[in-house]
Amino acid sequence: MSVVKSPLSDADLKTVGSALQGALVDLVDLALVAKQVHWNVVGPRFRSIHLQLDEVVLTARQHSDIVAERASAIGVNPDGRAATVASTSAVGAVEVANGWIKDKDAVAILVQALDAVIVGMRERIQETGDPDPVSQDVLIGLTADLEKHAWMFQAESA
């Protein structure tokens, strides 16, 4: 039993809760992946990519908090534990041969990670429109920010 009474029906709460939980784990994982790449990037474009990665981390962390608090506000317990993130995130593992990540590979990793997260976010936007436009609005705002980062990383690889 939840201590927070939801304004949504049980069916709508299940749909929206699942969408918010999926968004949360993807954002937590995106922040972790971006930070891992941030610590290990090397190459001639090191500085610009290093700083750009911190911007992604900041965006993902800020939005993960907003998403988790939205879930709590409607009576859904957010779960950002490591095991949950590892088993349910759409981001995927960062594979590197020797630990260091060449700048061009760092860009490719982030383009792929952002794409995976954005695809899921756009699906969640569709799923939440009817049951909860407020949660949908949260997802729309964060997707716009992620798409801006994706554009900038794609421009890096052109």
Side-chain angles (χ1 to χ4, degrees):
M1 181 170 122
S2 176
V3 296
V4 177
K5 181 170 173 20
S6 178
L8 304 178
S9 70
D10 289 344
D12 288 349
L13 185 62
K14 183 176 180 181
T15 299
V16 175
S18 177
L20 292 172
Q21 179 60 34
L24 175 62
V25 297
D26 284 356
L27 289 167
V28 169
D29 202 15
L30 178 62
L32 292 171
V33 165
K35 204 52 153 165
Q36 181 65 27
V37 175
H38 167 89
W39 293 323
N40 291 286
V41 65
V42 294
R45 296 182 297 161
F46 163 80
R47 181 165 172 73
S48 64
I49 293 170
H50 184 79
L51 295 173
Q52 194 174 355
L53 287 161
D54 265 343
E55 293 172 5
V56 172
V57 171
L58 180 62
T59 296
R61 286 179 178 168
Q62 287 174 336
H63 282 294
S64 65
D65 193 50
I66 292 166
V67 165
E69 289 178 355
R70 176 66 190 154
S72 293
I74 62 169
V76 174
N77 296 104
D79 186 355
R81 296 174 297 166
T84 302
V85 172
S87 66
T88 60
S89 172
V91 175
V94 175
E95 302 294 331
V96 291
N98 67 4
W100 300 114
I101 303 170
K102 298 265 185 199
D103 50 9
K104 69 178 180 57
D105 296 331
V107 169
I109 289 167
L110 260 291
V111 166
Q112 183 178 8
L114 285 162
D115 183 56
V117 173
I118 289 165
V119 166
M121 293 302 176
R122 286 191 158 270
E123 291 170 2
R124 293 177 190 112
I125 288 168
Q126 293 301 316
E127 294 166 0
T128 56
D130 287 332
D132 187 18
V134 177
S135 293
Q136 183 190 46
D137 187 56
V138 168
L139 296 172
I140 289 169
L142 77 89
T143 302
D145 287 348
L146 294 176
E147 288 178 347
K148 182 176 179 182
H149 287 299
W151 157 55
M152 291 183 175
F153 273 103
Q154 288 171 24
E156 283 276 348
S157 64

mmCIF file of all heavy atoms in Angstrom, residues 91-108:
data_model
loop_
_atom_site.group_PDB
_atom_site.id
_atom_site.type_symbol
_atom_site.label_atom_id
_atom_site.label_comp_id
_atom_site.label_asym_id
_atom_site.label_seq_id
_atom_site.Cartn_x
_atom_site.Cartn_y
_atom_site.Cartn_z
ATOM 1 N N VAL A 91 20.616 1.569 -22.065
ATOM 2 C CA VAL A 91 21.854 2.203 -22.520
ATOM 3 C C VAL A 91 22.872 1.196 -23.026
ATOM 4 O O VAL A 91 23.478 1.387 -24.069
ATOM 5 C CB VAL A 91 22.464 3.102 -21.418
ATOM 6 C CG1 VAL A 91 23.808 3.660 -21.852
ATOM 7 C CG2 VAL A 91 21.499 4.227 -21.073
ATOM 8 N N GLY A 92 23.109 0.139 -22.314
ATOM 9 C CA GLY A 92 24.093 -0.858 -22.744
ATOM 10 C C GLY A 92 25.467 -0.592 -22.164
ATOM 11 O O GLY A 92 25.752 0.493 -21.658
ATOM 12 N N ALA A 93 26.317 -1.583 -22.258
ATOM 13 C CA ALA A 93 27.653 -1.531 -21.667
ATOM 14 C C ALA A 93 28.609 -0.735 -22.547
ATOM 15 O O ALA A 93 28.474 -0.701 -23.765
ATOM 16 C CB ALA A 93 28.197 -2.940 -21.468
ATOM 17 N N VAL A 94 29.589 -0.123 -21.899
ATOM 18 C CA VAL A 94 30.665 0.567 -22.603
ATOM 19 C C VAL A 94 31.837 -0.397 -22.689
ATOM 20 O O VAL A 94 32.398 -0.805 -21.662
ATOM 21 C CB VAL A 94 31.095 1.852 -21.851
ATOM 22 C CG1 VAL A 94 32.288 2.498 -22.532
ATOM 23 C CG2 VAL A 94 29.937 2.821 -21.760
ATOM 24 N N GLU A 95 32.161 -0.804 -23.889
ATOM 25 C CA GLU A 95 33.250 -1.760 -24.107
ATOM 26 C C GLU A 95 34.494 -1.012 -24.595
ATOM 27 O O GLU A 95 34.441 -0.318 -25.592
ATOM 28 C CB GLU A 95 32.847 -2.801 -25.150
ATOM 29 C CG GLU A 95 31.603 -3.592 -24.787
ATOM 30 C CD GLU A 95 31.777 -4.482 -23.568
ATOM 31 O OE1 GLU A 95 32.907 -4.934 -23.322
ATOM 32 O OE2 GLU A 95 30.778 -4.711 -22.875
ATOM 33 N N VAL A 96 35.595 -1.168 -23.862
ATOM 34 C CA VAL A 96 36.861 -0.558 -24.271
ATOM 35 C C VAL A 96 37.970 -1.578 -24.089
ATOM 36 O O VAL A 96 37.958 -2.372 -23.146
ATOM 37 C CB VAL A 96 37.177 0.734 -23.484
ATOM 38 C CG1 VAL A 96 36.213 1.835 -23.855
ATOM 39 C CG2 VAL A 96 37.145 0.505 -21.998
ATOM 40 N N ALA A 97 38.933 -1.550 -24.995
ATOM 41 C CA ALA A 97 40.011 -2.548 -24.985
ATOM 42 C C ALA A 97 40.963 -2.371 -23.808
ATOM 43 O O ALA A 97 41.249 -3.311 -23.080
ATOM 44 C CB ALA A 97 40.769 -2.485 -26.304
ATOM 45 N N ASN A 98 41.453 -1.159 -23.587
ATOM 46 C CA ASN A 98 42.472 -0.969 -22.556
ATOM 47 C C ASN A 98 42.095 0.063 -21.495
ATOM 48 O O ASN A 98 42.933 0.487 -20.736
ATOM 49 C CB ASN A 98 43.808 -0.583 -23.208
ATOM 50 C CG ASN A 98 43.756 0.787 -23.873
ATOM 51 O OD1 ASN A 98 42.751 1.487 -23.783
ATOM 52 N ND2 ASN A 98 44.826 1.162 -24.540
ATOM 53 N N GLY A 99 40.859 0.456 -21.476
ATOM 54 C CA GLY A 99 40.418 1.436 -20.484
ATOM 55 C C GLY A 99 40.360 2.856 -21.012
ATOM 56 O O GLY A 99 39.449 3.591 -20.673
ATOM 57 N N TRP A 100 41.327 3.240 -21.842
ATOM 58 C CA TRP A 100 41.307 4.580 -22.430
ATOM 59 C C TRP A 100 40.378 4.584 -23.626
ATOM 60 O O TRP A 100 40.277 3.607 -24.348
ATOM 61 C CB TRP A 100 42.709 5.018 -22.849
ATOM 62 C CG TRP A 100 43.654 5.064 -21.694
ATOM 63 C CD1 TRP A 100 44.742 4.267 -21.491
ATOM 64 C CD2 TRP A 100 43.584 5.935 -20.560
ATOM 65 N NE1 TRP A 100 45.341 4.590 -20.303
ATOM 66 C CE2 TRP A 100 44.657 5.610 -19.710
ATOM 67 C CE3 TRP A 100 42.714 6.953 -20.185
ATOM 68 C CZ2 TRP A 100 44.893 6.265 -18.508
ATOM 69 C CZ3 TRP A 100 42.949 7.604 -18.977
ATOM 70 C CH2 TRP A 100 44.026 7.268 -18.162
ATOM 71 N N ILE A 101 39.709 5.696 -23.824
ATOM 72 C CA ILE A 101 38.728 5.792 -24.905
ATOM 73 C C ILE A 101 39.131 6.938 -25.814
ATOM 74 O O ILE A 101 39.172 8.098 -25.389
ATOM 75 C CB ILE A 101 37.308 6.018 -24.334
ATOM 76 C CG1 ILE A 101 36.936 4.895 -23.367
ATOM 77 C CG2 ILE A 101 36.299 6.146 -25.467
ATOM 78 C CD1 ILE A 101 35.664 5.157 -22.580
ATOM 79 N N LYS A 102 39.460 6.617 -27.065
ATOM 80 C CA LYS A 102 39.827 7.649 -28.038
ATOM 81 C C LYS A 102 38.665 8.619 -28.213
ATOM 82 O O LYS A 102 37.494 8.233 -28.137
ATOM 83 C CB LYS A 102 40.162 7.014 -29.385
ATOM 84 C CG LYS A 102 41.331 6.075 -29.348
ATOM 85 C CD LYS A 102 42.554 6.804 -29.732
ATOM 86 C CE LYS A 102 43.704 5.802 -29.805
ATOM 87 N NZ LYS A 102 44.965 6.442 -29.735
ATOM 88 N N ASP A 103 38.973 9.878 -28.450
ATOM 89 C CA ASP A 103 37.938 10.901 -28.552
ATOM 90 C C ASP A 103 36.851 10.547 -29.560
ATOM 91 O O ASP A 103 35.667 10.700 -29.281
ATOM 92 C CB ASP A 103 38.534 12.283 -28.817
ATOM 93 C CG ASP A 103 39.525 12.323 -29.971
ATOM 94 O OD1 ASP A 103 39.667 11.326 -30.708
ATOM 95 O OD2 ASP A 103 40.173 13.377 -30.137
ATOM 96 N N LYS A 104 37.229 10.016 -30.723
ATOM 97 C CA LYS A 104 36.217 9.658 -31.723
ATOM 98 C C LYS A 104 35.343 8.507 -31.231
ATOM 99 O O LYS A 104 34.142 8.463 -31.518
ATOM 100 C CB LYS A 104 36.848 9.344 -33.069
ATOM 101 C CG LYS A 104 37.667 8.070 -33.134
ATOM 102 C CD LYS A 104 38.192 7.842 -34.544
ATOM 103 C CE LYS A 104 39.002 6.584 -34.659
ATOM 104 N NZ LYS A 104 38.326 5.361 -34.256
ATOM 105 N N ASP A 105 35.917 7.588 -30.466
ATOM 106 C CA ASP A 105 35.140 6.488 -29.902
ATOM 107 C C ASP A 105 34.222 6.983 -28.785
ATOM 108 O O ASP A 105 33.101 6.486 -28.631
ATOM 109 C CB ASP A 105 36.057 5.390 -29.377
ATOM 110 C CG ASP A 105 36.867 4.736 -30.489
ATOM 111 O OD1 ASP A 105 36.383 4.705 -31.643
ATOM 112 O OD2 ASP A 105 37.990 4.272 -30.217
ATOM 113 N N ALA A 106 34.692 7.959 -28.032
ATOM 114 C CA ALA A 106 33.865 8.547 -26.973
ATOM 115 C C ALA A 106 32.610 9.173 -27.574
ATOM 116 O O ALA A 106 31.501 8.995 -27.055
ATOM 117 C CB ALA A 106 34.663 9.593 -26.190
ATOM 118 N N VAL A 107 32.790 9.881 -28.664
ATOM 119 C CA VAL A 107 31.644 10.496 -29.347
ATOM 120 C C VAL A 107 30.686 9.413 -29.824
ATOM 121 O O VAL A 107 29.466 9.516 -29.624
ATOM 122 C CB VAL A 107 32.117 11.389 -30.516
ATOM 123 C CG1 VAL A 107 30.955 11.817 -31.393
ATOM 124 C CG2 VAL A 107 32.877 12.602 -29.979
ATOM 125 N N ALA A 108 31.206 8.352 -30.420
ATOM 126 C CA ALA A 108 30.354 7.266 -30.921
ATOM 127 C C ALA A 108 29.586 6.604 -29.775
ATOM 128 O O ALA A 108 28.401 6.276 -29.926
ATOM 129 C CB ALA A 108 31.196 6.242 -31.669
#
